[in-house]
Amino acid sequence: MTEDAADISWDPYERGCPSRDVLDRIGDKWTVLVLGELAAAGPQRFTALRKRVDGVSEKMLTQTLRSLERDGLVLRTVHPEVPPRVVYELTPLGETLGEPLDMLKRWSVEHMDEIVAARASYEAGAGTRVSR
């Protein structure tokens, strides 16, 4: 890290802060699932990732992987074979997201019943609060 970069204070609450882009990327549903799968299972080929991340289209998986590679979170390795074998894996920077994303995944699973109940209550009209 350069001396100038160490002096910069990033504040995602300020308009124009590039950390907002990072939060958007990390918070994207496909990013969370792709990073989670790579963290749990290790390096994988595109087709294996696509099978594991059920519901993601080829286009969205490609876009997600490219963005993650651009941000330095995923490494794409092309093995010179016929046909070429491409493997995706987390970089050391990407590995630092493993624990926080796992905590979010666990939280969502542990509290899913409460969230489903809250949604049902909200849809039934109980989500509106009347002040007196």
Side-chain angles (χ1 to χ4, degrees):
M1 181 182 302
T2 66
E3 192 173 314
D4 291 337
D7 293 337
I8 296 174
S9 175
W10 304 111
D11 184 355
Y13 294 98
E14 289 186 16
R15 179 182 13 203
C17 180
S19 65
R20 286 186 178 191
D21 292 336
V22 175
L23 289 171
D24 285 345
R25 167 63 42 221
I26 295 169
D28 176 74
K29 73 176 177 178
W30 299 123
T31 295
V32 169
L33 296 173
V34 167
L35 290 176
E37 177 60 16
L38 289 174
Q44 293 189 43
R45 295 179 74 169
F46 184 91
T47 52
L49 270 172
R50 185 151 182 238
K51 285 179 184 174
R52 182 66 180 126
V53 182
D54 192 27
V56 67
S57 69
E58 187 172 322
K59 178 182 176 182
M60 282 308 304
L61 182 56
T62 299
Q63 288 177 355
T64 300
L65 287 166
R66 283 184 182 156
S67 294
L68 292 170
E69 185 181 9
R70 177 180 173 253
D71 289 343
L73 302 173
V74 167
L75 177 65
R76 178 180 184 262
T77 304
V78 180
H79 297 273
E81 301 171 357
V82 178
R85 182 170 51 100
V86 180
V87 176
Y88 296 91
E89 63 185 303
L90 294 179
T91 64
L93 179 61
E95 289 174 357
T96 65
L97 282 169
E99 186 176 341
L101 290 177
D102 187 56
M103 290 172 64
L104 283 171
K105 180 183 78 172
R106 280 187 283 134
W107 182 92
S108 68
V109 170
E110 289 171 7
H111 296 279
M112 200 64 237
D113 290 339
E114 295 166 80
I115 292 169
V116 168
R119 288 177 179 173
S121 176
Y122 182 88
E123 295 300 322
T128 304
R129 185 174 178 184
V130 179
S131 62
R132 295 180 185 197

